[in-house]
Amino acid sequence: MPENTHSRPRILSGMRPTGRLHLGHWVGALQNWIKLQEQYESYYFVADWHALTTHYADTSEIQDNIREMVTDWVAAGLDPKKAIFFVQSQLPEHAELHLLFSMITPLGWLERVPTYKEQIENLQGRDLHTYGFLGYPVLQAADILMYKAAYVPVGEDQVPHVELTREIARRFNHFYEPVFPEPQALLTPVPRLRGTDGRRMSKSYENSILLCDPPEEVNKKVLSMMTDPARKRRTDPGDPDKCPVFDHHKVFSPPEVIERVNRECRTAEIGCVECKKLMAQHLNRFLAPVQERRKTIEQDPKYVWDVLEEGTQKARSVAQETMREVRSAMNLIPAQGELSEVGKD
Ligand code: SF4
């Protein structure tokens, strides 16, 4: 049987092309995607149009960012033989469906999306009062419904977007014909992994450890990491639950090390420097094979583009089929069968 058949439920998820990925991407998405590619017919896409909703003014790095990000996807263990990778902007069908959905989506639905106001407040220095930014959940609905995905793997904060997608599907099916199944959010608990300064890990905060950071860089970053702020002296007992170093231990260290740090931090038996060195050692062990695969991928400059081209072709055949159904349901083209009647009179 071919790798991708319709006998498995379909999932779809995307990532904005932000370049080389950090451990937060691994924990928050990649790790899960790698598991899901075994069970589901998986569509993973480069959300380059979504990147434009916030980073529209300077597009000079998009191509590099796509290449670096997809290199990390494969280096981390996503397999283009098991999942379909594609680039959103290579499929104008997404823009068409977005436009058609925008006709039926009430403005109030978009203004209600919690991430809308939040991002406008948080992303200082950028004017997000644009048509594209308000409408990006509609574009997201088009991305998901185009492939009639049964599930959408998301974090808690994205659940309202999936709910909006379901509402748009319902409204479309109600006005025209039942074309779209309503997708479900596939929620997976994600372990917390704060950046080196204790804030959410993000490239813009310069607090992230990258999947491609060499061991010396990892060691340096880990040694500079914030710890439990209450543990000022070596002899003070600490609380590992308040420490970003312990977040990393929980993801990358073996159970006996996690257990030891959890115990010895609280009694001040272990010092922060030793604890950090231990964590860096296990983190580097995890990163070594990822970086080996990255080196192999980088030897062939065409590899990423070939993978994306192949996946985009596959996605295109599904997208074209969906758009034929959509246009027909909306009477934008003659209904199926009517064309063959034309000219018979
Ligand atoms: S011993 Fe480890 S877990 Fe405890 S505060 Fe120091 S770095 Fe954090």
Side-chain angles (χ1 to χ4, degrees), residues 84 117 134 150 183 277:
I84 293 173
K117 278 204 184 106
L134 177 67
K277 283 186 177 161

Side-chain angles (χ1 to χ4, degrees), residues 107-218:
L107 265 183
W109 289 7
L110 299 175
E111 286 158 348
R112 253 195 349 245
V113 172
T115 45
Y116 177 64
K117 278 204 184 106
E118 211 177 277
Q119 292 217 38
I120 288 214
E121 279 159 23
N122 288 346
L123 289 179
Q124 306 275 333
R126 261 190 216 117
D127 183 4
L128 294 182
H129 294 94
T130 59
Y131 178 50
F133 184 67
L134 177 67
Y136 95 88
V138 182
L139 180 58
Q140 221 169 32
D143 301 331
I144 298 166
L145 295 174
M146 183 71 83
Y147 301 93
K148 301 184 180 174
Y151 299 101
V152 191
V154 285
E156 200 93 44
D157 58 327
Q158 291 283 312
V159 171
H161 291 204
V162 180
E163 190 44 51
L164 182 78
T165 300
R166 292 161 59 84
E167 286 183 272
I168 292 175
R170 227 173 287 149
R171 197 163 162 92
F172 182 98
N173 294 343
H174 169 74
F175 284 149
Y176 313 113
E177 278 171 32
V179 170
F180 298 111
E182 289 181 33
Q184 309 278 341
L186 193 66
L187 266 175
T188 344
V190 171
R192 179 168 69 161
L193 196 76
R194 286 165 290 181
T196 50
D197 61 359
R199 292 186 290 172
R200 182 175 65 83
M201 195 179 280
S202 160
K203 267 194 182 166
S204 47
Y205 294 158
E206 295 184 2
N207 65 357
S208 53
I209 299 175
L210 302 182
L211 289 175
C212 62
D213 277 342
E216 320 75 70
E217 183 70 16
V218 170

Side-chain angles (χ1 to χ4, degrees), residues 227-228 231 238-240 243 245-246 261 265 270-272 275-276:
T227 61
D228 170 11
R231 193 173 185 196
D239 181 352
C243 177
V245 179
F246 192 56
V261 170
C265 170
I270 190 169
C272 290
C275 178
K276 286 174 169 179

Side-chain angles (χ1 to χ4, degrees), residues 241-261:
D241 295 325
K242 296 203 174 111
C243 177
V245 179
F246 192 56
D247 289 351
H248 287 69
H249 269 300
K250 284 195 281 190
V251 176
F252 300 106
S253 298
E256 61 280 7
V257 173
I258 302 171
E259 195 271 326
R260 179 187 157 202
V261 170

